[in-house]
mmCIF file of all heavy atoms in Angstrom:
data_model
loop_
_atom_site.group_PDB
_atom_site.id
_atom_site.type_symbol
_atom_site.label_atom_id
_atom_site.label_comp_id
_atom_site.label_asym_id
_atom_site.label_seq_id
_atom_site.Cartn_x
_atom_site.Cartn_y
_atom_site.Cartn_z
ATOM 1 N N SER C 615 3.409 18.087 2.894
ATOM 2 C CA SER C 615 3.773 19.090 3.892
ATOM 3 C C SER C 615 3.067 20.386 3.490
ATOM 4 O O SER C 615 3.301 20.915 2.407
ATOM 5 C CB SER C 615 5.295 19.244 3.864
ATOM 6 O OG SER C 615 5.714 20.153 4.837
ATOM 7 N N VAL C 616 2.181 20.873 4.358
ATOM 8 C CA VAL C 616 1.369 22.048 3.981
ATOM 9 C C VAL C 616 1.587 23.189 4.958
ATOM 10 O O VAL C 616 1.883 22.973 6.130
ATOM 11 C CB VAL C 616 -0.139 21.711 3.925
ATOM 12 C CG1 VAL C 616 -0.428 20.623 2.915
ATOM 13 C CG2 VAL C 616 -0.696 21.324 5.297
ATOM 14 N N LYS C 617 1.397 24.402 4.452
ATOM 15 C CA LYS C 617 1.570 25.582 5.308
ATOM 16 C C LYS C 617 0.310 26.445 5.266
ATOM 17 O O LYS C 617 -0.260 26.638 4.189
ATOM 18 C CB LYS C 617 2.768 26.398 4.796
ATOM 19 C CG LYS C 617 3.078 27.592 5.677
ATOM 20 C CD LYS C 617 4.226 28.420 5.113
ATOM 21 C CE LYS C 617 4.560 29.562 6.062
ATOM 22 N NZ LYS C 617 5.474 30.528 5.469
ATOM 23 N N ASP C 647 0.162 24.184 -2.075
ATOM 24 C CA ASP C 647 0.031 22.994 -1.227
ATOM 25 C C ASP C 647 -1.330 22.336 -1.462
ATOM 26 O O ASP C 647 -1.449 21.104 -1.434
ATOM 27 C CB ASP C 647 0.168 23.355 0.251
ATOM 28 C CG ASP C 647 1.475 24.080 0.542
ATOM 29 O OD1 ASP C 647 2.284 24.221 -0.399
ATOM 30 O OD2 ASP C 647 1.686 24.511 1.675
ATOM 31 N N ALA C 732 5.763 28.933 -0.658
ATOM 32 C CA ALA C 732 4.670 29.481 0.144
ATOM 33 C C ALA C 732 4.446 30.912 -0.322
ATOM 34 O O ALA C 732 5.418 31.622 -0.593
ATOM 35 C CB ALA C 732 5.056 29.456 1.617
ATOM 36 N N THR C 737 10.268 31.707 -0.314
ATOM 37 C CA THR C 737 11.681 31.366 -0.532
ATOM 38 C C THR C 737 11.857 30.105 -1.379
ATOM 39 O O THR C 737 12.893 29.914 -1.984
ATOM 40 C CB THR C 737 12.413 31.125 0.801
ATOM 41 O OG1 THR C 737 11.841 29.983 1.433
ATOM 42 C CG2 THR C 737 12.331 32.326 1.722
ATOM 43 N N ALA C 738 10.880 29.200 -1.355
ATOM 44 C CA ALA C 738 10.981 27.902 -2.037
ATOM 45 C C ALA C 738 12.157 27.085 -1.492
ATOM 46 O O ALA C 738 12.748 26.283 -2.200
ATOM 47 C CB ALA C 738 11.094 28.077 -3.549
ATOM 48 N N VAL C 740 12.031 25.392 1.697
ATOM 49 C CA VAL C 740 11.676 24.353 2.672
ATOM 50 C C VAL C 740 11.641 22.951 2.042
ATOM 51 O O VAL C 740 12.168 21.997 2.628
ATOM 52 C CB VAL C 740 10.349 24.712 3.386
ATOM 53 C CG1 VAL C 740 9.864 23.559 4.250
ATOM 54 C CG2 VAL C 740 10.536 25.967 4.238
HETATM 55 C C1 FAD F 736 15.464 35.427 6.425
HETATM 56 C C2 FAD F 736 14.183 34.936 7.018
HETATM 57 C C3 FAD F 736 13.899 35.158 8.361
HETATM 58 C C4 FAD F 736 12.686 34.758 8.894
HETATM 59 N N1 FAD F 736 12.438 35.016 10.169
HETATM 60 C C5 FAD F 736 11.274 34.670 10.686
HETATM 61 C C6 FAD F 736 10.972 34.971 11.990
HETATM 62 O O1 FAD F 736 11.763 35.563 12.700
HETATM 63 N N2 FAD F 736 9.762 34.585 12.465
HETATM 64 C C7 FAD F 736 8.867 33.925 11.674
HETATM 65 O O2 FAD F 736 7.781 33.565 12.134
HETATM 66 N N3 FAD F 736 9.148 33.609 10.407
HETATM 67 C C8 FAD F 736 10.310 33.972 9.895
HETATM 68 N N4 FAD F 736 10.580 33.694 8.621
HETATM 69 C C9 FAD F 736 9.601 32.970 7.844
HETATM 70 C C10 FAD F 736 9.808 31.484 7.977
HETATM 71 O O3 FAD F 736 11.115 31.112 7.816
HETATM 72 C C11 FAD F 736 9.017 30.837 6.889
HETATM 73 O O4 FAD F 736 7.662 31.072 7.109
HETATM 74 C C12 FAD F 736 9.188 29.336 6.843
HETATM 75 O O5 FAD F 736 10.499 28.927 7.060
HETATM 76 C C13 FAD F 736 8.748 28.791 5.510
HETATM 77 O O6 FAD F 736 9.460 29.419 4.486
HETATM 78 P P1 FAD F 736 8.681 29.945 3.241
HETATM 79 O O7 FAD F 736 7.447 30.619 3.729
HETATM 80 O O8 FAD F 736 9.590 30.724 2.390
HETATM 81 O O9 FAD F 736 8.245 28.584 2.544
HETATM 82 P P2 FAD F 736 8.712 27.943 1.129
HETATM 83 O O10 FAD F 736 10.054 27.372 1.251
HETATM 84 O O11 FAD F 736 8.474 28.920 0.019
HETATM 85 O O12 FAD F 736 7.615 26.803 1.111
HETATM 86 C C14 FAD F 736 7.713 25.731 0.193
HETATM 87 C C15 FAD F 736 6.839 24.603 0.657
HETATM 88 O O13 FAD F 736 7.362 24.079 1.875
HETATM 89 C C16 FAD F 736 6.288 23.631 2.706
HETATM 90 N N5 FAD F 736 6.267 24.429 3.943
HETATM 91 C C17 FAD F 736 6.766 25.662 4.176
HETATM 92 N N6 FAD F 736 6.560 26.020 5.451
HETATM 93 C C18 FAD F 736 5.911 25.008 6.047
HETATM 94 C C19 FAD F 736 5.392 24.772 7.359
HETATM 95 N N7 FAD F 736 5.502 25.677 8.324
HETATM 96 N N8 FAD F 736 4.783 23.590 7.610
HETATM 97 C C20 FAD F 736 4.661 22.644 6.632
HETATM 98 N N9 FAD F 736 5.107 22.816 5.374
HETATM 99 C C21 FAD F 736 5.733 23.971 5.085
HETATM 100 C C22 FAD F 736 5.011 23.832 1.887
HETATM 101 O O14 FAD F 736 4.769 22.663 1.146
HETATM 102 C C23 FAD F 736 5.402 24.976 0.957
HETATM 103 O O15 FAD F 736 4.628 25.032 -0.212
HETATM 104 C C24 FAD F 736 11.759 34.076 8.070
HETATM 105 C C25 FAD F 736 12.066 33.826 6.742
HETATM 106 C C26 FAD F 736 13.262 34.256 6.213
HETATM 107 C C27 FAD F 736 13.573 33.979 4.755
#
Side-chain angles (χ1 to χ4, degrees):
S615 182
V616 300
K617 184 183 183 191
D647 304 356
T737 64
V740 172

